[in-house]
Amino acid sequence: MDLNYTPEEQAFRAEVRKLVAAILPADISAKVKGGKRLAKDDFVRWQKALHAKGWGATMWPTKFGGTGWSAVQQHIFEEECAEAGAPLQLPFGLKMVAPVIMAFGSKGQQDHFLPRIVDGSDWWCQGYSEPGSGSDLASLKAKAERQGDHYVVNGQKTWNTLGQYADWIFCLVRTSSEGRQQEGISFLLIDMKTPGITVRPIIMNDGEHEINEVWFEDVKVPAQNLVGEENKGWTYAKFLLGHERTGIAGVGRSKAALHHLKDIARTELSYDKPLMEDVRFRDRIAQVELELMALEITNMRVLSAEKDKKAPGPEASILKIKGSEIQQAIAELQMQALGHYALPWLPEALDADWQGKPVGADYAAPLSGHYFNYRKTTIYGGSNEIQKNIIAQMILGL
Amino acid sequence: MDLNYTPEEQAFRAEVRKLVAAILPADISAKVKGGKRLAKDDFVRWQKALHAKGWGATMWPTKFGGTGWSAVQQHIFEEECAEAGAPLQLPFGLKMVAPVIMAFGSKGQQDHFLPRIVDGSDWWCQGYSEPGSGSDLASLKAKAERQGDHYVVNGQKTWNTLGQYADWIFCLVRTSSEGRQQEGISFLLIDMKTPGITVRPIIMNDGEHEINEVWFEDVKVPAQNLVGEENKGWTYAKFLLGHERTGIAGVGRSKAALHHLKDIARTELSYDKPLMEDVRFRDRIAQVELELMALEITNMRVLSAEKDKKAPGPEASILKIKGSEIQQAIAELQMQALGHYALPWLPEALDADWQGKPVGADYAAPLSGHYFNYRKTTIYGGSNEIQKNIIAQMILGL
Amino acid sequence: MDFNYTDEQNALRDTLARFIAKDYGFEQRRALAKSDIGFSRDHWKQFAELGLTALPFAEDFGGLNGNAVDTMLVMEAFGRGLVLEPYLATVIVAGGLIRDAGSPAQQEAHLPSIASGKLMLALAHYERGARYKVSRVDTAAKADGGGWTLSGSKGVVLGGGAADKLLVSANTGKGPNGTGAISLFLVDSKAAGVSVRSYMTQDGGRAAEVRLDKVSVGADALLGPKDGALPAIERALDYGIAALCAEAVGIMAALNEATLEYLKTRKQFGQPIGRFQALQHRMVDMVIATEQARSMATLAAVKADAPDAAARRRALSAAKAYVGQQARFVGQQAVQLHGGMGVVDELNVSHYFKRLTMINITFGDTDYHLGLFSDMLLAA
Amino acid sequence: MDFNYTDEQNALRDTLARFIAKDYGFEQRRALAKSDIGFSRDHWKQFAELGLTALPFAEDFGGLNGNAVDTMLVMEAFGRGLVLEPYLATVIVAGGLIRDAGSPAQQEAHLPSIASGKLMLALAHYERGARYKVSRVDTAAKADGGGWTLSGSKGVVLGGGAADKLLVSANTGKGPNGTGAISLFLVDSKAAGVSVRSYMTQDGGRAAEVRLDKVSVGADALLGPKDGALPAIERALDYGIAALCAEAVGIMAALNEATLEYLKTRKQFGQPIGRFQALQHRMVDMVIATEQARSMATLAAVKADAPDAAARRRALSAAKAYVGQQARFVGQQAVQLHGGMGVVDELNVSHYFKRLTMINITFGDTDYHLGLFSDMLLAA
């Protein structure tokens, strides 16, 4: 038991820092650090830049083109990327569909899709939730009927993140209504250009277009795009949800966000003194920093143990719960730090090439919207209430 | 809507203050204010002193010997008694069994028991909970069999407060095992001197003897001590629980306790300055004071509305929940104020006539034990979880 | 003590409820929020017809002599409707200032116009860098012949864009860093040297950055005593705080209703999600928080009129802090219990949540007022 | 980074678990707590036989060269057993001080006796009025011929009654109000002028008020540099804090096991109460709190040895504050979920709860250490 980084790990960090600084486009990191809107191209350029250095998929095993890094190495990488102002590597391809394809996909699917994920060719999105099926995912109704060598898909998916940019969507669909709900679900990969797919934006509470509804009307999907066996999709879905949670602690991002919060608190004035000198506000920062210090270690403990077991376990729910609470707490304090200047809403100021004069500090514009938006973190990816159910049942046996 | 006291109410307060100061024995108030152990006689003397002035039962209607005061008047009375250091008027007779006897008892029971409660002749205790029946009270097993003109009671009751001093106990007993559990329960009044009753002390976490187990072995109870109808006891029990909760906000007591906390914080030194000048500790006091300010008004709103409806409703559960949380918060801060001097445990220092030298401040000895003991407040009288169930079902219809 | 509303107050409540139900639907409000000025002048006329703009003023000035509880009822209803019109800025804060600190001539000149809905005002007081501290003013007023010349910047002036006139606080003393003597001036928002940059706020409202560049006003522009306007400003802001507390309670009650309804109708795992005990208890906590907040909002209303300024300040900071804490909890949990539906623009839950959040920031946030209340314990 | 225990550490864990299970049953402990000295000298001998008293010392002094993680494992097990012997006072704090600040002669004279279980010690440092502030000492030491004369009072000295010798901090400077230069002295607890009033503590342990009335000690009693003992005292207390954090985690784990078992076996309304979702989620929160506390306790152990004093202080205050918060939550909720059984003396839940509460107060409470940590943000 030693929480200190080894000399090798320290050298690794130095290497990562150097490389990230070298390949991260300055315009992108300026957007990330300034809380500006990111375009599709910003995500893709970053993924391609990483891929060019062989770091496109740091969480994948080497045999599929990943780096095969340890949990500690991945943590260092995430921390350095966040601190440098790199955009998030979107999880839908890398962390969600890819592990499913690796574990259950055909050789053909693996050969075709995985390289296109890691090199940034394909943008993936998620087709899990439906309006009537959120926490109770297994009750989903979108239907796929086998007709010859393809499936015909009809139905509606929702809470689809950034699907407006997507090339592909992975979907849970009902292929049978016999037996238990869970037993009639299949896992399909669908080309977003297929006729019959409509993407309708859902505007979030910050006024931004981040999520969508996706409608399927007689969408023809080649049967070879079925992952694994028909009617076994629930197994793959649960496998995926386990993998999704592991990245969700977001320790690196939260450390960068905490850093930003402290900078703001040292800049904002409270009656001529830096806000940081206000003991009440400073104590709030201290409190969230304590939570994050603990989570950083818990995260490493859990991920290391999972690495030994080779599979994510229900302990990952702990990371989701604490990670999302901390993300929200930091976002709330960033907003709170602004005082009255949390009120102005200038969506135009989120454009990187906006030339207007800010209202209040130049970092102010995105912060309230970010707070509103981040209420989603305790809801998505299995709400924190659902995570607690998982822990109660799978760890505690209640 | 006016939260200010009327001139009449202010005059009433002055009258109460004067009378309480005149009749409250100094040795008793010194014990209460110093957190010393109270003897049975202390409670009885205070009840008799109040009764002598006609104020023995301020929550009763006049026709049974009460004062018939309004909710505001009762609140003023409770506040003044608490501030003066009067002992609690124990609720078991006055607030628990008495309303049941008034509403459901026979004329004979009313004529016999009520005057002896108000004049301090009879000390009552409660026989509700059993080891297997706490929150799920209706599952109780203690049995009463009718044999001629009496019942024979066998079984065990627990969480019996101060029953070691009691003359009478009111009991829920099973008189039938037919139908729903609730339908076979009766409400019996039992003389504690009856042969076959054994009282066994349960020591609390503060080392004090406050509660008991009570065992019944072939205890003969005259049939005339049945309240109301046989097998209808559950109705009376629920009625009683409603009445019990109304007093439980304890606003007057908490105001006195907050006052004491502030005195301690002004006396304790933190690096040569009064602890009160420590912004972090002071903010904690401020926070609990806010809660209490709100509860004081909520309490009056609820009690006034109930007075109009003539019956306690599920809103009283709100008072129980917030009242108990506030009592605990104040107790915790009182302990916390002591610093390291919260550690010493000197049970002998709780005797009023102890002549020893205190360890630390003279107010220190009872405070940690009080904090431990007060964990009970969110558990007894229907745990706060049960109160939330009540609100969810009865107010919200969930 | 009396916990009942008068018949008149019950009638007022009914009137307001009807107005909100009829003229303040979700889509109507959304359209208003996106409009150029961000509210409806027709609504403002209706307010005048209903007597709302006249409520807190004396009959001599066309007012209705309403008390703080009347205002509380108005603001609670406005909370439920997420009303956008600058009632707080014009009637409660600025109107209250003229009523309490204006000369008879100033009262005569302006109160009837406010009461009849013809005049809109805004208090331009807070400045960037002062954060929530009321006594800190850098904007300077220099005596200039018989009048004054004002220069400085005011930040996040609520309703500043729509205001015909601004009540501008300025430093007429000599202290550095905004200390010194504060005076108040009535300034025409179209006057030379006044620039108003109006913008949307997170809750669909409007605020403005106001710059004063050597703005000349006459001697009669001074409102209240020279060098001594601070007590009046604090009092007006306390009226504003009481109003915000009532508005917050209205929103919390509306959110609780919406959430309870959602718990009863949204089905997952074959049953309404309101059958799940963890959610039931959360909902109970929201109800308790709202009841407690209602108690404190009532205290705020009653004490806003208290003659003793220290007692008033203590109660108003207590209420702002405590209602803010409860509002934060109820708002966040209403969103959480609505799941994804809680974070989208198309449902009113997110709009209630945003308004609650902004109420908490307006006129001093929870920590600021808890701090003031806490610091008052030293004196007590 | 490495998250595994060594084979030796796993063996140590097993040994400790066996000892606790066999010799530290609930009734055995209760009898000990009520006994005259409040612990068992036989147990202390067993500690010596198991090498526990020798753990953190160098082999030259009969020690085992154990590191902070070894100590963590001991204290975690002691937490589970609610061990009463003054291991923290003698081995970790006082032993650590002699190890780190003593002269070679002092180390030679005392460490082997501690390691072999023959010598008991206590640090007499805190004084009433200083609250938790470590740098504040009023007890005075005046140079007297070749030696020193000590006078003053020390409060709540853990294990003071059983200690053969006391490590007494005293002011050897001239500053008022306890500031100035602090030195440490080894004082025989039977020396003339030393009076020790031992008493029970709320958690079944023992502490003492110590008075020094013109106590004469020789020049060789000085431990560490004259006027410069404060860094060593802070370091020793940080070792103590790391140990307390580990003990707290041991207790929290034990409380969680007990509570989970109770939820599964206690039946109400025809089913185990662990079927109720509100209680399930509470239990989950307790588990999360304990995992998070375990992470911070590990950090505390690892950083207690950190060469950089500022980094060490930051981590130790962070851990004491955070573990304290989690301990408070877990302790209170374990009691709550046990209902009436949680507040009675006859079940171990109340004893765990009391010990957790007292751990939180020892060597600075949660607010004190959060404050230190927070204030360090200003420098960072």
Side-chain angles (χ1 to χ4, degrees), chain A residues 40 43-44 46-47 59 87-96 117 123-124 161-162 165:
Chain A
K40 173 177 184 176
F43 292 101
V44 174
W46 175 232
Q47 180 64 31
M59 67 300 285
L88 203 63
Q89 284 179 275
L90 292 176
F92 310 105
L94 284 164
K95 293 187 185 179
M96 296 171 78
I117 290 172
W123 182 296
W124 281 83
T161 302
L162 298 178
Y165 303 142

Side-chain angles (χ1 to χ4, degrees), chain B residues 174-376:
Chain B
R174 186 158 300 286
T175 39
S176 164
S177 52
E178 320 242 311
R180 289 172 58 241
Q181 282 185 332
Q182 287 80 352
E183 287 163 12
I185 292 170
S186 297
F187 195 107
L188 278 188
L189 311 177
I190 305 179
D191 187 333
M192 286 293 279
K193 290 183 297 294
T194 322
I197 297 181
T198 310
V199 177
R200 189 183 83 83
I202 298 175
I203 302 304
M204 282 285 282
N205 57 7
D206 57 358
E208 299 291 311
H209 174 200
E210 180 184 1
I211 51 176
N212 305 279
E213 288 179 334
V214 184
W215 296 78
F216 298 84
E217 203 184 332
D218 292 333
V219 174
K220 287 178 70 170
V221 180
Q224 75 205 44
N225 287 5
L226 174 74
V227 173
E229 290 178 55
E230 196 175 89
N231 296 334
K232 298 278 187 214
W234 186 247
T235 309
Y236 318 147
K238 284 198 301 182
F239 176 87
L240 179 154
L241 289 173
H243 273 272
E244 185 194 4
R245 282 198 302 277
T246 54
I248 222 157
V251 170
R253 301 261 141 203
S254 285
K255 285 175 93 166
L258 180 63
H259 195 139
H260 189 41
L261 168 61
K262 288 180 181 175
D263 284 344
I264 293 171
R266 291 195 186 95
T267 310
E268 285 289 318
L269 292 181
S270 172
Y271 201 48
D272 298 313
K273 283 196 278 192
L275 179 59
M276 192 64 138
E277 292 182 25
D278 174 338
V279 60
R280 295 179 175 105
F281 194 81
R282 188 169 72 249
D283 279 5
R284 292 201 183 273
I285 299 178
Q287 183 63 49
V288 73
E289 181 156 7
L290 293 185
E291 296 282 355
L292 184 54
M293 285 171 77
L295 182 63
E296 182 173 11
I297 301 166
T298 303
N299 188 44
M300 298 301 299
R301 284 171 50 219
V302 169
L303 296 186
S304 298
E306 290 191 341
K307 201 93 184 170
D308 293 346
K309 289 188 304 183
K310 309 274 186 224
E315 289 78 10
S317 291
I318 297 176
L319 306 180
K320 162 67 173 31
I321 292 169
K322 292 307 285 188
S324 56
E325 288 174 354
I326 290 168
Q327 288 156 27
Q328 292 182 338
I330 295 172
E332 189 166 7
L333 289 175
Q334 287 181 345
M335 172 185 71
Q336 193 180 325
L338 299 178
H340 282 122
Y341 282 90
L343 267 102
W345 183 46
L346 285 85
E348 65 275 21
L350 304 187
D351 275 340
D353 35 9
W354 182 64
Q355 299 294 328
K357 191 180 163 222
V359 174
D362 55 6
Y363 46 71
L367 300 184
S368 292
H370 183 60
Y371 165 67
F372 299 138
N373 179 285
Y374 258 37
R375 300 316 301 173
K376 73 186 177 192

Side-chain angles (χ1 to χ4, degrees), chain D residues 140-201:
Chain D
K142 297 207 187 310
D144 183 7
W148 300 86
T149 302
L150 310 181
S151 291
S153 295
K154 296 291 181 176
V156 197
V157 175
L158 299 180
D164 304 300
K165 289 179 186 297
L166 299 167
L167 285 168
V168 177
S169 60
N171 204 319
T172 40
K174 295 184 193 304
N177 288 338
T179 59
I182 296 172
S183 306
L184 256 183
F185 300 90
L186 255 168
V187 179
D188 197 291
S189 56
K190 302 283 184 297
V194 176
S195 63
V196 176
R197 179 185 178 189
S198 185
Y199 45 78
M200 288 187 288
T201 52

Side-chain angles (χ1 to χ4, degrees), chain A residues 1-6 9 72 75 262 266 276-277 279 282-287 289-301 304 308 317-318 321-322 326 384-389 391-393 395-398, chain D residues 1-6 9 69 72 260 263-264 274-275 277 279-281 283-285 287-288 290-296 298-300 302-303 314-315 317-319 321-322 325-326 370-371 373-378 380:
Chain A
M1 180 73 67
D2 186 357
L3 301 183
N4 297 304
Y5 289 105
T6 63
E9 287 161 348
V72 173
H75 173 71
K262 288 179 182 176
R266 290 197 186 95
M276 193 63 138
E277 292 181 25
V279 61
R282 189 169 71 249
D283 279 4
R284 292 201 181 273
I285 299 178
Q287 183 65 48
E289 181 156 8
L290 292 185
E291 296 281 356
L292 185 54
M293 286 170 76
L295 181 63
E296 182 173 11
I297 302 167
T298 303
N299 188 42
M300 298 300 300
R301 284 171 50 219
S304 299
D308 293 345
S317 291
I318 296 176
I321 292 169
K322 292 308 286 188
I326 289 168
N384 286 18
E385 288 79 8
I386 291 292
Q387 305 296 341
K388 289 184 187 182
N389 286 349
I391 297 172
Q393 287 156 26
I395 302 182
L396 304 180
L398 287 171
Chain D
M1 284 194 177
D2 176 15
F3 297 91
N4 299 303
Y5 294 116
T6 63
Q9 286 170 337
V69 175
M72 181 176 85
L260 184 58
L263 289 179
K264 287 179 177 175
R275 296 291 305 157
Q277 195 192 32
L279 307 193
Q280 290 180 351
H281 283 200
M283 186 75 236
V284 167
D285 289 338
V287 168
I288 295 176
T290 303
E291 287 305 317
Q292 288 276 85
R294 183 181 296 281
S295 292
M296 281 296 244
T298 309
L299 181 75
V302 170
K303 293 289 182 187
R314 183 173 183 279
S317 276
Y322 190 77
Q325 292 171 348
Q326 311 316 308
L370 178 66
F373 180 80
S374 175
D375 292 348
M376 284 182 242
L377 290 182
L378 284 174

Side-chain angles (χ1 to χ4, degrees), chain D residues 135-270:
Chain D
S135 62
R136 158 69 193 266
V137 172
D138 269 333
T139 295
K142 297 207 187 310
D144 183 7
W148 300 86
T149 302
L150 310 181
S151 291
S153 295
K154 296 291 181 176
V156 197
V157 175
L158 299 180
D164 304 300
K165 289 179 186 297
L166 299 167
L167 285 168
V168 177
S169 60
N171 204 319
T172 40
K174 295 184 193 304
N177 288 338
T179 59
I182 296 172
S183 306
L184 256 183
F185 300 90
L186 255 168
V187 179
D188 197 291
S189 56
K190 302 283 184 297
V194 176
S195 63
V196 176
R197 179 185 178 189
S198 185
Y199 45 78
M200 288 187 288
T201 52
Q202 298 283 346
D203 47 20
R206 296 292 185 278
E209 300 297 291
V210 173
R211 263 178 49 84
L212 302 118
D213 188 12
K214 295 183 191 143
V215 177
S216 289
V217 294
D220 59 349
L222 183 72
L223 191 91
K226 174 177 165 318
D227 297 347
L230 186 59
I233 294 171
E234 284 190 324
R235 188 172 179 188
L237 291 172
D238 279 346
Y239 277 118
I241 286 172
L244 288 170
C245 288
E247 187 185 352
V249 168
I251 295 174
M252 290 160 79
L255 275 175
N256 282 353
E257 280 171 33
T259 306
L260 184 58
E261 177 67 17
Y262 191 76
L263 289 179
K264 287 179 177 175
T265 50
R266 169 75 175 171
K267 290 200 173 72
Q268 292 283 273
F269 305 106

Side-chain angles (χ1 to χ4, degrees), chain C residues 251-326:
Chain C
I251 294 175
M252 292 159 78
L255 275 176
N256 282 353
E257 280 172 32
T259 306
L260 184 58
E261 177 67 16
Y262 191 76
L263 289 180
K264 287 179 177 174
T265 51
R266 169 74 175 173
K267 289 200 174 70
Q268 291 284 273
F269 305 105
Q271 55 187 329
I273 59 173
R275 295 292 304 158
F276 292 101
Q277 195 193 30
L279 306 193
Q280 289 181 350
H281 283 200
R282 198 89 57 84
M283 185 76 235
V284 168
D285 289 338
M286 292 163 69
V287 168
I288 294 176
T290 304
E291 287 305 317
Q292 287 277 85
R294 184 181 295 283
S295 292
M296 280 296 244
T298 309
L299 181 73
V302 171
K303 293 291 182 187
D305 274 327
D308 172 359
R312 187 200 75 220
R313 280 269 59 256
R314 183 174 182 280
L316 271 294
S317 276
K320 187 68 165 66
Y322 190 77
V323 172
Q325 292 171 348
Q326 312 316 307

Side-chain angles (χ1 to χ4, degrees), chain D residues 99-162:
Chain D
R99 177 192 63 204
D100 296 336
S103 66
Q106 288 167 329
Q107 292 172 341
E108 186 57 57
H110 303 300
L111 293 184
S113 308
I114 298 174
S116 64
K118 292 193 199 91
L119 180 67
M120 286 195 166
L121 293 161
L123 172 65
H125 173 63
Y126 289 103
E127 301 179 5
R128 198 174 155 199
R131 206 167 163 84
Y132 300 123
K133 189 100 177 178
V134 178
S135 62
R136 158 69 193 266
V137 172
D138 269 333
T139 295
K142 297 207 187 310
D144 183 7
W148 300 86
T149 302
L150 310 181
S151 291
S153 295
K154 296 291 181 176
V156 197
V157 175
L158 299 180

